[in-house]
PDB file of all heavy atoms in Angstrom:
ATOM      1  N   ARG A1176     -27.546  -4.022  31.994  1.00 94.00           N
ATOM      2  CA  ARG A1176     -28.791  -3.332  31.463  1.00 94.00           C
ATOM      3  C   ARG A1176     -28.925  -4.000  29.944  1.00 94.00           C
ATOM      4  O   ARG A1176     -28.339  -3.462  29.016  1.00 94.00           O
ATOM      5  CB  ARG A1176     -28.728  -1.941  31.389  1.00 94.00           C
ATOM      6  CG  ARG A1176     -28.589  -1.309  32.648  1.00 94.00           C
ATOM      7  CD  ARG A1176     -29.730  -1.543  33.627  1.00 94.00           C
ATOM      8  NE  ARG A1176     -29.403  -1.029  35.101  1.00 94.00           N
ATOM      9  CZ  ARG A1176     -29.271  -1.830  36.094  1.00 94.00           C
ATOM     10  NH1 ARG A1176     -29.337  -3.103  35.905  1.00 94.00           N
ATOM     11  NH2 ARG A1176     -29.040  -1.370  37.335  1.00 94.00           N
ATOM     12  N   PHE A1177     -29.790  -5.030  29.856  1.00 93.00           N
ATOM     13  CA  PHE A1177     -29.853  -5.680  28.600  1.00 93.00           C
ATOM     14  C   PHE A1177     -30.250  -4.828  27.384  1.00 93.00           C
ATOM     15  O   PHE A1177     -29.754  -5.071  26.333  1.00 93.00           O
ATOM     16  CB  PHE A1177     -30.667  -6.983  28.785  1.00 93.00           C
ATOM     17  CG  PHE A1177     -29.862  -7.980  29.544  1.00 93.00           C
ATOM     18  CD1 PHE A1177     -30.083  -8.291  30.841  1.00 93.00           C
ATOM     19  CD2 PHE A1177     -28.844  -8.883  28.828  1.00 93.00           C
ATOM     20  CE1 PHE A1177     -29.407  -9.258  31.485  1.00 93.00           C
ATOM     21  CE2 PHE A1177     -28.089  -9.775  29.542  1.00 93.00           C
ATOM     22  CZ  PHE A1177     -28.452  -9.980  30.819  1.00 93.00           C
ATOM     23  N   ARG A1178     -31.175  -4.010  27.571  1.00 94.00           N
ATOM     24  CA  ARG A1178     -31.709  -3.148  26.546  1.00 94.00           C
ATOM     25  C   ARG A1178     -30.488  -2.326  25.906  1.00 94.00           C
ATOM     26  O   ARG A1178     -30.340  -2.151  24.675  1.00 94.00           O
ATOM     27  CB  ARG A1178     -32.909  -2.305  26.878  1.00 94.00           C
ATOM     28  CG  ARG A1178     -33.591  -1.568  25.711  1.00 94.00           C
ATOM     29  CD  ARG A1178     -34.791  -0.867  26.174  1.00 94.00           C
ATOM     30  NE  ARG A1178     -35.814  -1.945  26.473  1.00 94.00           N
ATOM     31  CZ  ARG A1178     -37.037  -1.662  26.859  1.00 94.00           C
ATOM     32  NH1 ARG A1178     -37.351  -0.521  27.202  1.00 94.00           N
ATOM     33  NH2 ARG A1178     -37.795  -2.716  27.067  1.00 94.00           N
ATOM     34  N   ALA A1179     -29.818  -1.687  26.881  1.00 93.00           N
ATOM     35  CA  ALA A1179     -28.713  -0.784  26.364  1.00 93.00           C
ATOM     36  C   ALA A1179     -27.526  -1.636  25.792  1.00 93.00           C
ATOM     37  O   ALA A1179     -26.979  -1.268  24.824  1.00 93.00           O
ATOM     38  CB  ALA A1179     -28.153  -0.032  27.613  1.00 93.00           C
ATOM     39  N   ALA A1180     -27.393  -2.794  26.342  1.00 90.00           N
ATOM     40  CA  ALA A1180     -26.322  -3.726  25.862  1.00 90.00           C
ATOM     41  C   ALA A1180     -26.687  -4.212  24.448  1.00 90.00           C
ATOM     42  O   ALA A1180     -25.822  -4.276  23.505  1.00 90.00           O
ATOM     43  CB  ALA A1180     -26.194  -4.923  26.689  1.00 90.00           C
ATOM     44  N   LEU A1181     -27.940  -4.509  24.063  1.00 92.00           N
ATOM     45  CA  LEU A1181     -28.361  -4.892  22.857  1.00 92.00           C
ATOM     46  C   LEU A1181     -28.198  -3.737  21.796  1.00 92.00           C
ATOM     47  O   LEU A1181     -27.691  -3.936  20.671  1.00 92.00           O
ATOM     48  CB  LEU A1181     -29.790  -5.226  22.924  1.00 92.00           C
ATOM     49  CG  LEU A1181     -30.385  -5.816  21.515  1.00 92.00           C
ATOM     50  CD1 LEU A1181     -29.690  -7.042  21.031  1.00 92.00           C
ATOM     51  CD2 LEU A1181     -31.924  -6.058  21.683  1.00 92.00           C
ATOM     52  N   ALA A1182     -28.523  -2.558  22.153  1.00 94.00           N
ATOM     53  CA  ALA A1182     -28.447  -1.383  21.368  1.00 94.00           C
ATOM     54  C   ALA A1182     -26.863  -1.182  20.991  1.00 94.00           C
ATOM     55  O   ALA A1182     -26.475  -0.908  19.837  1.00 94.00           O
ATOM     56  CB  ALA A1182     -28.966  -0.135  22.033  1.00 94.00           C
ATOM     57  N   LEU A1183     -26.050  -1.154  22.050  1.00 91.00           N
ATOM     58  CA  LEU A1183     -24.657  -0.995  21.922  1.00 91.00           C
ATOM     59  C   LEU A1183     -24.073  -2.097  21.009  1.00 91.00           C
ATOM     60  O   LEU A1183     -23.270  -1.873  20.060  1.00 91.00           O
ATOM     61  CB  LEU A1183     -23.915  -0.999  23.191  1.00 91.00           C
ATOM     62  CG  LEU A1183     -23.979   0.261  24.033  1.00 91.00           C
ATOM     63  CD1 LEU A1183     -23.470   0.012  25.490  1.00 91.00           C
ATOM     64  CD2 LEU A1183     -23.267   1.435  23.364  1.00 91.00           C
ATOM     65  N   GLY A1184     -24.473  -3.311  21.197  1.00 89.00           N
ATOM     66  CA  GLY A1184     -24.017  -4.439  20.469  1.00 89.00           C
ATOM     67  C   GLY A1184     -24.396  -4.398  19.038  1.00 89.00           C
ATOM     68  O   GLY A1184     -23.561  -4.618  18.095  1.00 89.00           O
ATOM     69  N   LEU A1185     -25.552  -4.134  18.632  1.00 92.00           N
ATOM     70  CA  LEU A1185     -26.001  -3.952  17.193  1.00 92.00           C
ATOM     71  C   LEU A1185     -25.295  -2.829  16.605  1.00 92.00           C
ATOM     72  O   LEU A1185     -24.853  -3.092  15.464  1.00 92.00           O
ATOM     73  CB  LEU A1185     -27.522  -3.844  17.197  1.00 92.00           C
ATOM     74  CG  LEU A1185     -28.316  -5.125  17.693  1.00 92.00           C
ATOM     75  CD1 LEU A1185     -29.829  -4.713  17.618  1.00 92.00           C
ATOM     76  CD2 LEU A1185     -28.083  -6.256  16.878  1.00 92.00           C
ATOM     77  N   ALA A1186     -25.174  -1.800  17.272  1.00 94.00           N
ATOM     78  CA  ALA A1186     -24.421  -0.627  16.700  1.00 94.00           C
ATOM     79  C   ALA A1186     -23.013  -1.023  16.558  1.00 94.00           C
ATOM     80  O   ALA A1186     -22.373  -0.624  15.441  1.00 94.00           O
ATOM     81  CB  ALA A1186     -24.589   0.583  17.424  1.00 94.00           C
ATOM     82  N   SER A1187     -22.426  -1.714  17.322  1.00 89.00           N
ATOM     83  CA  SER A1187     -20.999  -2.141  17.345  1.00 89.00           C
ATOM     84  C   SER A1187     -20.726  -3.007  16.073  1.00 89.00           C
ATOM     85  O   SER A1187     -19.650  -2.914  15.536  1.00 89.00           O
ATOM     86  CB  SER A1187     -20.454  -2.843  18.477  1.00 89.00           C
ATOM     87  OG  SER A1187     -20.680  -1.979  19.642  1.00 89.00           O
ATOM     88  N   ILE A1188     -21.723  -3.787  15.768  1.00 90.00           N
ATOM     89  CA  ILE A1188     -21.561  -4.689  14.616  1.00 90.00           C
ATOM     90  C   ILE A1188     -21.199  -3.906  13.276  1.00 90.00           C
ATOM     91  O   ILE A1188     -20.374  -4.148  12.556  1.00 90.00           O
ATOM     92  CB  ILE A1188     -22.735  -5.644  14.397  1.00 90.00           C
ATOM     93  CG1 ILE A1188     -22.837  -6.659  15.436  1.00 90.00           C
ATOM     94  CG2 ILE A1188     -22.640  -6.440  12.966  1.00 90.00           C
ATOM     95  CD1 ILE A1188     -24.066  -7.517  15.545  1.00 90.00           C
ATOM     96  N   ALA A1189     -22.000  -2.869  13.115  1.00 91.00           N
ATOM     97  CA  ALA A1189     -21.837  -1.958  11.986  1.00 91.00           C
ATOM     98  C   ALA A1189     -20.509  -1.275  12.049  1.00 91.00           C
ATOM     99  O   ALA A1189     -19.819  -1.070  11.106  1.00 91.00           O
ATOM    100  CB  ALA A1189     -22.971  -0.996  11.870  1.00 91.00           C
ATOM    101  N   GLY A1190     -20.224  -0.858  13.246  1.00 92.00           N
ATOM    102  CA  GLY A1190     -18.967  -0.152  13.483  1.00 92.00           C
ATOM    103  C   GLY A1190     -17.726  -0.983  13.319  1.00 92.00           C
ATOM    104  O   GLY A1190     -16.815  -0.618  12.628  1.00 92.00           O
TER     105      GLY A1190
END
Side-chain angles (χ1 to χ4, degrees):
R1176 302 295 174 251
F1177 284 101
R1178 188 174 290 176
L1181 180 63
L1183 284 169
L1185 291 174
S1187 294
I1188 291 170

